[in-house]
Amino acid sequence: MKRTLKKLLYKKHPVFLSKYFFYKTFKRKLNLKNPSTFNEKLMWLKLNEDDSIKAKCADKYLVRDYINQLGYSDLLVKLYKVYDTVEEIDFEELPSSFVMKCTHGCGFNIICLDKDKLDKEDTIQKLKEWMKTDYGNKMAELHYSKIKPRIIVERFLGDTVNGKVPSDYMIHCFHGVPQVIEVGENYGNNKKYITFNCSWDVLDFYKNSIEKSEEIKRPKRIEEMLEISRALSKEFTYVRVDLYFSDNEIYFGELTFTPGACLENDFINDADYQMGQLLDLKILKKESLSKMSMSARPVKIK
């Protein structure tokens, strides 16, 4: 009974829940009438924009069709298998290393470096639990609730010897223009995030940006990555285009519309406000795209 009531509350009252989560995180009220910060504006978009295409593009399986339609099939990581249920999984047909993902949420990933050492019972148990989870209900990100749960198995891009995964480049795009590059690097068991503008100047949006920025060199193919992000983001008011860079090759990761469930609380200084200024909610998406030429250039962020 409690689970049913909770589910109904999440689906019927996303505004209330968004306000609740926002206050719980930031200890202040969510301003939806006049949002000014990045988190507030993403909350507004989440609650007001049509999310039908977002649901398709947040789906880790169906987004492959979107990437194909735009002519970027070469960016897609090799797909081994797609399963509709956990019971369909046959480990014998899978390669020695792989990444297994549920398509309808975030963090539903299993990295297998060596199939012979994989705890298959634990893997099955996790997948069963994830497949029953309506991820959209967790933090009122309702576009996830429209995604059909599936399990996909993809090639593992990292080093199978030490388990190191490739750097991921999370490119925040506003009105079809890439503006902020967030680079995820693994340091031991922790992932550190460093932010740059499109000129590769460090943005002091995170503490890690100041401490670790000198260790991340400008990728040789960054301009190509920015052009890819421009193409993949042109249909959206805001989206974060996640790309991997491995062995000098660019791979598509995912499209993210509500990073951190619109509750990013690791910002320092006035980063939340600076990011928010890049998103103009007064501009309707279609009007914005029609006025925006292909020669649009990123705003210089300091």
Side-chain angles (χ1 to χ4, degrees):
M1 179 64 73
K2 287 184 178 180
R3 179 175 292 184
T4 301
L5 289 173
K6 185 177 180 181
K7 185 175 181 180
L8 288 172
L9 177 63
Y10 274 58
K11 285 188 177 297
K12 298 295 184 181
H13 302 284
V15 174
F16 169 81
L17 287 164
S18 296
K19 289 181 177 180
Y20 167 76
F21 289 131
F22 191 89
Y23 186 83
K24 185 177 180 181
T25 302
F26 299 107
K27 299 301 183 285
R28 61 184 177 86
K29 293 182 179 180
L30 171 61
N31 187 346
L32 290 174
K33 290 185 178 180
N34 187 29
S36 61
T37 67
F38 181 59
N39 283 303
E40 286 179 332
K41 290 185 176 182
L42 289 189
M43 283 284 192
W44 189 94
L45 287 176
K46 179 191 75 170
L47 296 167
N48 290 281
E49 269 198 323
D50 179 10
D51 62 6
S52 54
I53 187 172
K54 291 182 183 181
K56 176 180 179 180
C57 289
D59 184 320
K60 291 177 174 57
Y61 178 59
L62 292 184
V63 70
R64 299 174 73 92
D65 292 336
Y66 178 74
I67 302 302
N68 272 317
Q69 290 168 11
L70 292 179
Y72 287 102
S73 58
D74 57 316
L75 301 180
L76 295 171
V77 178
K78 182 177 178 60
L79 179 67
Y80 294 128
K81 279 294 186 179
V82 182
Y83 302 113
D84 289 323
T85 66
V86 178
E87 288 71 25
E88 296 174 26
I89 298 174
D90 179 1
F91 287 101
E92 294 302 317
E93 65 183 358
L94 300 179
S96 59
S97 65
F98 55 83
V99 178
M100 194 172 276
K101 305 176 182 178
C102 290
T103 58
H104 61 296
C106 296
F108 294 165
N109 308 319
I110 292 173
I111 297 176
C112 175
L113 305 180
D114 184 346
K115 186 173 64 175
D116 292 335
K117 298 178 180 179
L118 179 68
D119 187 334
K120 297 180 178 61
E121 289 186 7
D122 182 64
T123 297
I124 291 296
Q125 187 60 39
K126 286 179 179 177
L127 290 171
K128 285 183 176 180
E129 186 64 31
W130 292 340
M131 288 290 280
K132 292 188 296 183
T133 301
D134 186 338
Y135 192 82
N137 281 347
K138 290 172 69 75
M139 301 298 290
E141 299 170 279
L142 297 187
H143 61 289
Y144 284 114
S145 295
K146 299 179 180 180
I147 299 174
K148 176 183 177 180
R150 294 185 181 92
I151 300 164
I152 60 173
V153 186
E154 295 179 334
R155 173 192 165 198
F156 173 62
L157 296 176
D159 187 336
T160 56
V161 176
N162 57 31
K164 185 176 181 181
V165 297
S167 300
D168 49 335
Y169 293 79
M170 296 165 283
I171 304 174
H172 297 264
C173 299
F174 301 79
H175 307 289
V177 180
Q179 300 277 18
V180 174
I181 306 167
E182 190 176 344
V183 184
E185 286 281 342
N186 287 300
Y187 293 90
N189 294 324
N190 298 316
K191 177 162 280 192
K192 305 293 186 181
Y193 295 94
I194 297 91
T195 45
F196 301 86
N197 64 16
C198 292
S199 298
W200 211 251
D201 301 315
V202 177
L203 302 173
D204 57 351
F205 287 180
Y206 299 101
K207 184 179 180 181
N208 300 320
S209 293
I210 303 169
E211 296 176 344
K212 300 288 187 180
S213 59
E214 294 182 1
E215 300 179 25
I216 299 181
K217 305 301 181 184
R218 180 186 175 96
K220 293 180 180 179
R221 299 180 67 182
I222 188 61
E223 293 302 326
E224 188 176 347
M225 294 167 74
L226 292 174
E227 195 57 38
I228 290 167
S229 298
R230 187 187 301 274
L232 299 186
S233 67
K234 66 182 180 180
E235 292 298 324
F236 307 104
T237 308
Y238 166 85
V239 66
R240 194 187 74 198
V241 178
D242 295 356
L243 303 173
Y244 294 111
F245 191 58
S246 177
D247 295 328
N248 204 39
E249 295 293 333
I250 301 170
Y251 296 94
F252 172 75
E254 61 183 278
L255 297 180
T256 302
F257 300 96
T258 51
C262 313
L263 298 168
E264 177 59 72
N265 62 352
D266 290 331
F267 286 135
I268 61 173
N269 304 321
D270 62 345
D272 197 4
Y273 179 79
Q274 285 194 57
M275 290 272 282
Q277 298 316 291
L278 300 173
L279 188 54
D280 189 351
L281 298 182
K282 295 178 182 178
I283 303 176
L284 294 176
K285 182 177 63 175
K286 290 184 179 179
E287 291 180 355
S288 175
L289 293 175
S290 66
K291 293 178 182 178
M292 198 174 298
S293 68
M294 289 300 294
S295 61
R297 290 291 181 263
V299 176
K300 186 73 170 181
I301 308 174
K302 298 181 180 179

